[in-house]
């Protein structure tokens, strides 16, 4: 009897919502970094994305979706293999998730060459933003340079004259230093590229001390940044030479890791946990409820990426057809947790940037507090070379 | 002063590499096993120490826990997995120990999560020591150098002056003869493997407060450790010691001074790119050079 009722119920609901049930879920391939020093970055992107899906009852834009996640292990070759398998064996047409620019450089071209769609939730390397931009390539985070241009601008505004700049030696690191130098009006006292697998920065600390700059800018994402900041502190430099950073070098996890020593550091960001918009308040509350840890900006980007894909899928009625998807996607018809968000001509974001300061939070832990908006509607310098 | 400081940084990197390389070279030299999972033992030591330090706040207990965990896990790995690999060829060993890396990394993620753990520095060692007027160096790094050198001396005494050391030396050169003389070679192997694991764990414990304790930390340092083993001569602890110091100092000095030097002879961005590239190649170039002139390494164990 009970079972029959269940069947009847199922049949009734099938009749009522026939179009929705007829749809097989859209599969979204998420290739991201879940292990190694950058593991928590990919974890937050994945969890942010999944949060948006779960809040909408397993759907994005009213279309049922299934997120297929694989760990690239921080290895470009492995990401390329996963992309290949997703595309050929699993017939996935929509991709996202890659954290690091060097990994994107290996995996994304294959995806685009097969006329499949890639929506970046983090990496925004310069080589995909200019003349090699692509109709099926969207970036939800930032173009790498802009993330650090605002740090350069902030350092100028704070009146610093001599900057020592360091970044990990890969595409995003090169974009970072290029971006900082573009907007910093002072003199560069020294410039160092560190190895992407480097964890001991003692040699660099000695050089910073010898160069006597009045500000340090560095870009070491994830675990590298934690190691760098701790050693900066241990070398006794943290009290002596101030730092101006983009949020990529001082996210919530890094700030927690170095504790009180991070207080007072100047950061620039496109999103922060204390943003007052309803969209962000919902995101923060639901995130804390589900995961019980403070989100990093990577989480906000994962969440925004899911919302943007949802808006596009809604526009296409659940079809992942590049032309229709593009028309719908470029409207960016979703409530971003950052507030204003639109796409520029190269399908990278045009958005506002904020100065953020690390203060002591109510629980005694470091807290990223938004100070002021320092730039509005910022696109990127490569957009003008992109002809779409 | 900058040069002295960078040289000290190099020595500190060198002794850390030595602690890892000593175990690796013994295991490879005596048992003929390529142990890719050696980095995982470094990670086990670091995680165990970080965990205990966070729970109890005692650095002594943390160090003991780290050593015990690394040593015990090392012996367990030998007993359960590596023991079955002695007769096999190197490809099987690489496959099995690579599998162990995946196992340990995943285990660490399950137990501790993906976010790195942090160890605060022991307060006694968190300051800096003034070595000369106007020149100070972090005391923790000096402590690492001291511990590393002490271990090197201890290990050298162990190998040259004790019965166990004699068996180790004999095992490295004449394995079958040692077995024919009735020595329990299996027990010897387990002890040597455990000793190697203990040293790797010690390196991990000491690295904890400097670096972030996280999954995959072992693989980052493992490759350089293999370079050290090859340069020093496989199976030779003395070779590992000198090669580790050489690699540590050369790597650090290249990183510190090569880009600056190139910038004086070339223009901006190219100099930086070339400098960063060459300095990360440095130790591999060194290895290639050593192999060209001394194919068995600087201090070959097998005469």
């Amino acid at each position: 009897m009970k079972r029959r009722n269940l069947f009847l119920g199922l049949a009734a609901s099938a009749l009522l919502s026939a179009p929705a049930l007829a749809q097989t879920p859209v599969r979204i391939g998420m290739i991201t970094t879940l292990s190694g020093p950058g593991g928590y970055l990919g974890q937050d992107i994945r969890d942010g994305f999944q949060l948006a899906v779960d809040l909408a009852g397993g759907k994005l834009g009213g279309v049922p979706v299934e997120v297929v996640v694989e760990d690239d292990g921080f290895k470009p070759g492995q990401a390329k293999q996963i992309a290949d398998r997703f595309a050929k064996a699993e017939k996935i047409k929509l991709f996202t998730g890659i954290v690091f620019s060097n990994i994107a450089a290996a995996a994304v071209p294959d995806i685009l060459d097969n006329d499949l769609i890639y929506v970046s939730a983090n990496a925004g390397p310069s080589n995909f933003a200019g003349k090699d931009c692509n109709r099926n390539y969207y970036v939800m985070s930032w173009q790498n340079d802009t993330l650090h241009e605002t740090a350069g601008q902030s350092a100028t505004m704070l009146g610093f004259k001599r900057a020592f700049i360091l970044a990990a030696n890969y595409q995003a690191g090169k974009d970072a230093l290029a971006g900082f130098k573009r907007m910093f009006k002072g003199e560069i006292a020294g410039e160092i590229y560190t190895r992407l697998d480097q964890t001991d920065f003692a040699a660099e600390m000695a050089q910073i001390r010898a160069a006597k700059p009045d500000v340090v800018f560095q870009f070491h994402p994830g675990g590298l940044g934690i190691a760098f900041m701790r050693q900066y502190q241990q070398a006794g430099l943290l009290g002596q030479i101030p730092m101006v950073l983009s949020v990529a070098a001082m996210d919530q996890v890094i700030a927690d890791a170095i504790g009180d020593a991070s207080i007072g550091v100047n950061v620039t960001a496109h999103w922060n946990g204390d943003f007052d918009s309803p969209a962000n308040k919902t995101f923060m509350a639901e995130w804390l409820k589900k995961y019980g840890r403070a989100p990093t900006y990577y989480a906000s980007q994962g969440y925004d990426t899911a919302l943007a894909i949802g808006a596009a899928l809604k526009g296409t009625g659940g079809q992942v057809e590049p032309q229709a998807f593009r028309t719908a996607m470029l409207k960016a018809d979703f409530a971003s947790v950052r507030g204003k968000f639109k796409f520029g001509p190269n399908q990278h974001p045009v958005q506002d940037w904020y100065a953020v300061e690390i203060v002591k939070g109510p629980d005694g832990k470091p807290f990223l507090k938004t100070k002021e908006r320092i730039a509005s509607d910022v696109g990127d310098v490569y957009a003008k070379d992109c002809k779409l | 002063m900058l040069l002295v400081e960078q040289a000290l940084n190099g020595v500190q990197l060198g002794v850390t590499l030595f602690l890892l390389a000593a175990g690796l070279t013994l295991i490879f030299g005596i048992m003929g096993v390529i142990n890719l999972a050696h980095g995982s033992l470094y990670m086990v030591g670091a995680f165990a120490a970080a965990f205990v330090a966070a729970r109890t706040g005692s650095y002594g207990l943390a160090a003991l826990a780290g050593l015990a965990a690394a040593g015990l896990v090392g012996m367990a790995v030998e007993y359960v997995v590596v023991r079955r690999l002695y007769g096999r060829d190197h490809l099987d060993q690489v496959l099995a120990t690579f599998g162990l890396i995946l196992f340990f990394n995943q285990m660490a993620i399950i137990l501790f999560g993906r976010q790195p753990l942090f160890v605060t520095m022991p307060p006694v060692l968190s300051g800096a020591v003034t070595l000369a007027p106007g020149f100070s160096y972090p005391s923790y790094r000096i402590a690492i150098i001291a511990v590393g050198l002490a271990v090197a001396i201890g290990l050298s005494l162990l190998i040259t002056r004790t019965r166990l050391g004699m068996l180790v030396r004999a095992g490295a050169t004449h394995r079958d003869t040692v077995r024919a003389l009735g020595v329990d070679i299996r027990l010897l192997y387990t002890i040597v493997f455990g000793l190697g694991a203990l040293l790797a764990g010690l390196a991990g414990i000491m690295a904890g407060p400097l670096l972030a304790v996280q999954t995959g930390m072992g693989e980052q340092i493992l490759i350089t450790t293999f370079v050290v083993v090859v340069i020093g001569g496989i199976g030779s602890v003395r070779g590992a010691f000198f090669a580790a110091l050489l690699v540590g100092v050369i790597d650090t000095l290249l990183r510190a001074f090569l880009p600056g030097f190139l910038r004086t002879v070339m223009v901006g961005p190219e100099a930086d790119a070339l400098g960063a590239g060459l300095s990360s190649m440095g130790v591999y170039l060194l290895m290639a050079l050593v192999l060209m002139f001394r194919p068995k390494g600087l201090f070959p164990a097998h005469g």
Side-chain angles (χ1 to χ4, degrees):
Chain A
M1 190 61 199
K2 224 174 188 178
R3 176 168 288 184
R4 181 174 295 163
N5 276 345
L6 183 66
F7 277 126
L8 281 175
L10 276 178
S13 68
L15 280 176
L16 285 173
S17 57
L21 268 191
Q23 262 174 343
T24 48
V26 170
R27 305 183 80 202
I28 300 171
M30 176 176 283
I31 305 164
T32 196
T33 305
L34 294 171
S35 39
Y40 76 87
L41 282 55
Q43 183 188 28
D44 267 16
I45 288 177
R46 178 193 68 188
D47 291 352
F49 196 99
Q50 193 62 48
L51 180 67
V53 174
D54 290 351
L55 287 179
K59 295 178 181 178
L60 286 176
V63 178
V65 294
E66 184 194 340
V67 189
V68 187
V69 184
E70 284 250 3
D71 178 14
D72 62 36
F74 199 25
K75 294 185 185 78
Q78 197 163 325
K80 197 174 152 79
Q81 282 175 11
I82 298 169
D84 199 49
R85 181 157 44 80
F86 275 1
K88 297 215 173 93
E90 313 241 353
K91 306 284 177 216
I92 290 173
K93 294 176 180 165
L94 182 54
F95 292 78
T96 184
I98 297 175
V99 180
F100 291 93
S101 293
N102 55 332
I103 293 176
V108 170
D110 275 7
I111 296 173
L112 301 178
D113 286 349
N114 290 315
D115 206 28
L116 306 172
I117 299 166
Y118 186 78
V119 184
S120 177
N122 194 59
S126 55
N127 33 352
F128 294 163
K131 66 176 176 24
D132 288 332
C133 59
N134 190 296
R135 302 167 76 85
N136 293 337
Y137 175 74
Y138 309 85
V139 174
M140 290 304 302
S141 44
W142 16 258
Q143 195 282 314
N144 286 349
D145 293 44
T146 56
L147 178 61
H148 308 283
E149 276 168 11
T150 38
Q153 185 183 349
S154 173
T156 308
M157 285 162 73
L158 291 164
F160 293 116
K161 300 278 183 267
R162 291 183 83 234
F164 197 101
I165 58 179
L166 311 94
N169 189 13
Y170 75 124
Q171 187 60 48
K174 289 172 186 163
D175 290 349
L177 295 195
F180 183 86
K181 287 195 281 189
R182 192 171 294 129
M183 295 299 278
F184 180 63
K185 300 299 174 217
E187 173 200 353
I188 302 295
E191 183 175 336
I192 297 181
Y193 285 107
T194 55
R195 287 206 293 260
L196 195 52
D197 62 350
Q198 189 173 332
T199 45
D200 192 342
F201 298 98
E204 285 75 17
M205 297 307 155
Q207 279 172 286
I208 294 173
R209 191 179 299 117
K212 298 189 175 61
D214 60 9
V215 65
V216 168
F217 166 80
Q218 55 90 10
F219 168 62
H220 293 92
L224 298 177
I226 296 170
F228 189 96
M229 287 304 300
R230 285 161 60 81
Q231 291 168 34
Y232 194 75
Q233 178 193 1
Q234 287 158 10
L237 290 167
L238 198 57
Q240 287 175 16
I241 307 171
M243 272 196 178
V244 175
L245 301 172
S246 78
V247 70
M250 185 53 87
D251 60 42
Q252 185 68 51
V253 172
I254 302 180
D256 286 344
I258 54 174
D260 281 354
S262 66
I263 285 162
V265 172
N266 290 294
V267 180
T268 55
H270 54 307
W271 170 85
N272 198 16
D274 64 358
F275 279 7
D276 211 16
S277 67
N280 192 50
K281 283 189 160 157
T282 311
F283 166 70
M284 291 299 286
E286 295 293 340
W287 173 281
L288 287 175
K289 197 163 86 190
K290 180 156 185 203
Y291 302 114
R293 61 175 196 269
T296 61
Y297 74 92
Y298 302 99
S300 79
Q301 289 168 187
Y303 186 78
D304 264 0
T305 303
L307 295 185
I309 289 177
L313 288 177
K314 191 177 179 188
T316 64
Q319 298 304 307
V320 188
E321 190 279 314
Q323 195 54 48
F325 187 89
R326 180 161 185 256
T327 311
M329 181 78 177
L330 288 181
K331 288 179 189 148
D333 184 20
F334 68 98
S336 165
V337 291
R338 289 168 239 182
K340 280 197 293 181
F341 180 95
K342 63 175 195 258
F343 284 111
N346 55 350
Q347 306 181 169
H348 283 59
V350 173
Q351 59 190 338
D352 295 352
W353 289 86
Y354 301 83
V356 170
E357 192 182 9
I358 315 247
V359 299
K360 214 178 188 51
D363 54 356
K365 287 185 178 168
F367 175 73
L368 277 69
K369 186 177 187 315
T370 310
K371 278 194 332 198
E372 56 178 337
R373 182 183 352 227
I374 54 171
S376 294
D377 298 323
V378 183
D380 61 89
V381 293
Y382 302 101
K384 63 180 186 319
D385 301 326
C386 169
K387 305 276 181 282
L388 281 179
Chain B
M1 277 305 133
L2 188 59
L3 186 68
V4 178
E5 183 173 358
Q6 297 292 25
L8 276 175
N9 287 333
V11 172
Q12 184 251 312
L13 174 63
V15 299
T16 309
L17 285 174
F18 165 69
L19 290 179
L20 280 160
L24 200 60
T25 202
L26 278 177
I27 291 167
F28 192 45
I30 295 174
M31 308 172 202
V33 171
I34 298 179
N35 179 25
L36 290 185
H38 204 64
S40 298
L41 299 167
Y42 168 82
M43 181 179 78
V44 166
F47 265 109
F51 180 73
V52 172
R55 280 295 156 91
T56 63
S58 154
Y59 292 95
L61 279 181
L64 278 181
L67 286 176
L72 290 177
V73 168
M75 287 202 266
V77 161
E78 199 275 344
Y79 192 77
V80 177
V81 181
V82 177
R83 179 159 287 194
R84 286 154 227 291
L85 299 171
Y86 293 138
R88 308 273 196 115
D89 69 6
H90 289 325
L91 189 63
D92 290 349
Q93 298 168 352
V94 166
L95 265 178
T97 51
F98 183 73
L100 283 173
I101 293 185
L102 300 180
F103 169 79
F104 279 114
N105 281 347
Q106 208 56 39
M107 203 58 166
I109 288 174
I110 292 170
L111 291 177
F112 299 100
R114 293 183 196 279
Q115 299 203 357
L117 295 183
F118 306 98
V119 192
T120 50
M121 202 162 269
V124 204
L125 295 173
S126 61
V129 178
T130 309
L131 294 178
F135 174 62
S136 60
Y137 194 72
S139 5
Y140 189 76
R141 288 181 189 265
I142 292 185
I144 291 185
I145 295 176
V147 170
L149 294 181
V151 168
I153 294 169
L155 207 54
S156 128
L157 290 178
L158 180 78
I159 287 177
T160 51
R161 298 288 164 86
T162 65
R163 187 172 169 79
L164 179 67
M166 191 180 74
L167 289 176
V168 165
R169 277 180 292 146
T173 46
H174 303 94
R175 193 188 319 186
D176 296 329
T177 315
V178 174
R179 190 178 301 174
L181 288 172
V183 174
D184 185 351
I185 201 97
R186 298 192 129 199
L187 181 66
L188 178 68
Y189 284 0
T190 310
I191 291 173
V192 169
F193 204 94
L195 181 67
L198 204 67
L199 295 176
L202 179 62
I205 295 164
M206 294 198 302
L210 287 179
L211 319 172
V213 178
Q214 59 200 348
T215 57
M217 63 188 286
E219 285 83 80
Q220 288 174 332
I221 198 162
L222 184 72
I223 298 175
T224 326
T225 310
F226 268 109
V227 171
V228 167
V229 169
V230 170
I231 290 180
I234 289 160
S236 159
V237 174
R238 193 160 61 116
F241 179 71
F242 289 109
L245 288 186
L246 194 66
V247 165
V249 171
I250 287 187
D251 185 59
T252 307
L253 292 186
L254 278 180
R255 239 167 57 207
F257 296 110
L258 189 67
F261 169 73
L262 285 177
R263 223 171 286 145
T264 58
V265 290
M266 293 167 64
V267 278
E270 287 83 8
D272 290 327
L274 188 66
L278 278 182
S279 56
S280 35
M281 282 194 296
V283 295
Y284 303 102
L285 287 177
L286 176 71
M287 177 170 77
L289 276 177
V290 168
L291 287 183
M292 236 155 73
F293 296 104
R294 303 286 294 263
K296 286 187 154 183
L298 294 176
F299 298 88
H302 300 258

